[in-house]
Amino acid sequence: MAGSDVQALVVENEQQGMFQVARAAFTSADVFEAEYEELFNKCWLYVGHESEVSKNGDYVRRTIARRNLIFNRDSDGRLNAFFNTCPHRGAEVCREQKGNAKHFQCFYHGWIFANNGSLKSQPGADRYSVHFKEQQRGNLVAVPRFANYRGLCFVNFSQTTVSIEEYLGNAREYLDLVLDQAESGLVAVNGMQEYSLRANWKLLVENSIDGYHAATTHSTYLDYLANIHGKGMNKVGLEGVGTKLDNGHAVIEYSAPWGRPIANWVPAWGEQGKVEVDAIRARLEELHGKEKADRIALKNRNLLIFPNLVINDIMALTFRTFFPTAPNSLHVTGWAMAPQTESEWARKYRLDNFLEFLGPGGFATPDDVEALESCQSGYQNGMEQHVQWNDMSKGMGMEAGYSDEIQMRSFWSEWGRRIQPAIDRKGARK
Ligand code: FES
Ligand SMILES: [Fe+2]
């Protein structure tokens, strides 16, 4: 690999309690390309939530793995993801970020497509042979695979035969705990947030499931909670467990001192809050039984769906997905999620909590961005040739705890399994 003699990217030695990741994995252009070939072109990728296109005709534009897509609900209510490129010569057929439309018209030569992708009309249609229509050469092209898991929509750019359910594997247990919070279904609240970082995308993967950094990086937030709420916080520490899930997915599940609108009251929310939260809790128990309701309500979950969907079910609920634009930069898209129907009170606290910690101007995100960009600087300009490895061994050979790194090793093992052969092939050709 250019600039480094490191060939093995992920090294694991159970006996020596060693798990290392080569820093070249964060800087190499070969790795970056291999990630698009082996991960983003082959894995199921989150494209959006069905609530973003709730009415027939609704559409949003998405950039997924560098592809420009239209994610929409057609006039028959079917969800689709089309490549946003005219089959005639390639111009974008949808130039708005979102809207509602029965048709998409290409502005170049004026072809018009129904919102199910079929070509409706074209200027000078009589100058095309009958075969053109018969062979459906004029229709928009849909992504090879599309799947909807309980409202979460995924695309796959390969003709994979692995269903979304198989792909999710035992991560479904955790995903279902998130989805079961909302009897009415989830909704993406008020658009989305987008921002970029000067860091490798895998740093954000790690960070999203990293219990170890909370007390240090986010000490300001924890101090703030203590100062503002004083005795108004729950008397529980950050405690729980990290878990390796199937296919590179990973999760940490834990208790924390903050309140959760689903449905963990804190004294700072006062009596009205208690009435609200008790009602949510009672309904959860009715639907799911006490044990499961307690887990849904009291436990926080940071869930990674391999390779790049993060679900933070913490003091608010957020979905985030992100793609690298270069080895040292990434672009993030995030959504605040909420039950479709919830009281004004619950929605207010949910969104306050979201902005306070998870929003781009909140207590967490800027601190995390600073940490991740700082890590990236540590790998560059030849430093990575002298200090070649990152350590990922915390908790190896021991019972997993909240602040260990087993969940990150889950990601990295799967990442290495998919990427290493491509890097080896490339090395062999050099
Ligand atoms: S490029 Fe779209 S109609 Fe020609
Ligand atoms: Fe963080």
Side-chain angles (χ1 to χ4, degrees):
M1 225 170 308
S4 169
D5 57 2
V6 173
Q7 283 300 321
L9 293 163
V10 180
V11 174
E12 179 172 8
N13 185 326
E14 197 73 50
Q15 269 185 343
Q16 293 179 21
M18 182 174 87
F19 195 108
Q20 294 183 318
V21 176
R23 293 187 170 186
F26 299 86
T27 57
S28 155
D30 290 348
V31 168
F32 172 76
E33 281 310 323
E35 288 175 334
Y36 270 97
E37 277 166 39
E38 303 300 326
L39 299 184
F40 301 125
N41 288 354
K42 294 183 180 170
C43 293
W44 282 103
L45 303 173
Y46 184 69
V47 65
H49 191 264
E50 64 177 11
S51 65
E52 295 179 83
V53 288
S54 58
K55 293 191 295 298
N56 289 0
D58 282 354
Y59 66 85
V60 294
R61 264 174 46 164
R62 285 286 133 85
T63 303
I64 303 292
R66 304 192 279 205
R67 277 97 161 170
N68 181 352
L69 302 183
I70 305 168
F71 168 44
N72 83 332
R73 189 183 293 272
D74 63 34
S75 295
D76 294 325
R78 250 182 72 101
L79 294 166
N80 310 284
F82 299 110
F83 293 103
N84 186 11
T85 174
C86 181
H88 183 218
R89 293 273 237 293
E92 285 183 340
V93 297
C94 175
R95 308 219 294 164
E96 301 291 331
Q97 283 308 320
K98 61 181 199 170
N100 184 284
K102 285 203 172 80
H103 301 107
F104 298 105
Q105 177 168 17
C106 179
F107 73 102
Y108 193 7
H109 306 92
W111 289 17
I112 294 175
F113 309 87
N115 57 14
N116 66 4
S118 63
L119 179 65
K120 274 312 220 204
S121 73
Q122 44 188 166
D126 57 339
R127 305 297 297 160
Y128 285 86
S129 82
V130 289
H131 308 297
F132 177 87
K133 248 212 145 119
E134 274 166 13
Q135 293 169 8
Q136 305 196 335
R137 278 186 259 152
N139 294 344
L140 292 181
V141 175
V143 296
R145 298 287 316 274
F146 179 93
N148 180 351
Y149 182 78
R150 300 190 60 188
L152 279 71
C153 298
F154 294 83
V155 294
N156 198 307
F157 294 116
S158 76
Q159 291 289 357
T160 182
T161 52
V162 177
S163 70
I164 190 66
E165 286 78 11
E166 279 174 82
Y167 181 79
L168 292 170
N170 60 358
R172 283 173 69 181
E173 175 189 337
Y174 295 88
L175 194 49
D176 288 345
L177 286 169
V178 175
L179 299 172
D180 288 342
Q181 296 178 5
E183 189 180 356
S184 54
L186 286 178
V187 64
V189 184
N190 294 341
M192 58 196 191
Q193 301 180 332
E194 296 195 78
Y195 51 98
S196 297
L197 279 69
R198 290 183 299 268
N200 185 274
W201 69 281
K202 299 183 291 299
L203 280 165
L204 185 54
V205 168
E206 291 176 358
N207 174 262
S208 303
I209 46 172
D210 181 353
Y212 197 13
H213 79 296
T216 43
T217 308
H218 302 307
S219 60
T220 315
Y221 176 66
L222 296 170
D223 287 351
Y224 160 82
L225 285 185
N227 288 339
I228 294 291
H229 297 316
K231 294 194 184 74
M233 283 208 298
N234 283 329
K235 298 273 171 296
V236 292
L238 292 160
E239 280 167 22
V241 67
T243 306
K244 175 185 197 300
L245 300 172
D246 292 340
N247 301 327
H249 312 312
V251 70
I252 42 176
E253 192 172 43
Y254 57 100
S255 60
W258 49 73
R260 286 163 52 79
I262 301 276
N264 191 9
W265 179 76
V266 281
W269 288 351
E271 278 315 299
Q272 192 206 340
K274 188 148 177 43
V275 173
E276 296 272 357
V277 169
D278 283 351
I280 300 170
R281 188 76 159 270
R283 183 62 186 153
L284 283 176
E285 279 187 28
E286 223 171 276
L287 290 169
H288 305 292
K290 173 143 176 48
E291 198 181 328
K292 188 172 166 191
D294 279 356
R295 192 173 166 201
I296 289 175
L298 302 181
K299 293 289 183 197
N300 296 261
R301 276 161 288 275
N302 293 40
L303 173 64
L304 167 75
I305 302 299
F306 187 91
N308 65 340
L309 171 64
V310 169
I311 296 182
N312 287 326
D313 173 14
I314 47 181
M315 72 291 291
L317 179 61
T318 178
F319 291 0
R320 276 181 191 160
T321 187
F322 40 88
F323 289 94
T325 47
N328 62 355
S329 74
L330 78 147
H331 188 78
V332 185
T333 308
W335 296 264
M337 306 299 297
Q340 193 128 201
T341 46
E342 66 179 344
S343 73
E344 228 174 273
W345 178 91
R347 182 64 62 89
K348 176 190 176 319
Y349 275 91
R350 172 184 301 285
L351 295 182
D352 282 357
N353 277 358
F354 176 81
L355 285 177
E356 202 170 83
F357 189 72
L358 292 160
F363 275 104
T365 301
D367 288 344
D368 285 324
V369 168
E370 176 69 20
L372 272 42
E373 292 189 342
S374 178
C375 291
Q376 188 70 33
S377 312
Y379 309 150
Q380 292 182 162
N381 306 324
M383 304 247 289
E384 75 282 13
Q385 292 169 39
H386 302 285
V387 187
Q388 296 187 336
W389 300 98
N390 275 357
D391 189 274
M392 206 67 60
S393 67
K394 189 160 186 276
M396 271 179 98
M398 301 168 206
E399 202 182 321
Y402 162 71
S403 63
D404 289 336
E405 294 172 335
I406 183 174
Q407 65 281 4
M408 293 168 216
R409 295 192 288 276
S410 178
F411 168 83
W412 278 111
S413 296
E414 179 65 10
W415 182 91
R417 189 185 74 72
R418 287 173 176 265
I419 296 296
Q420 190 72 51
I423 295 299
D424 293 345
R425 283 196 300 277
K426 191 138 197 152
R429 280 202 299 273
K430 273 180 183 164

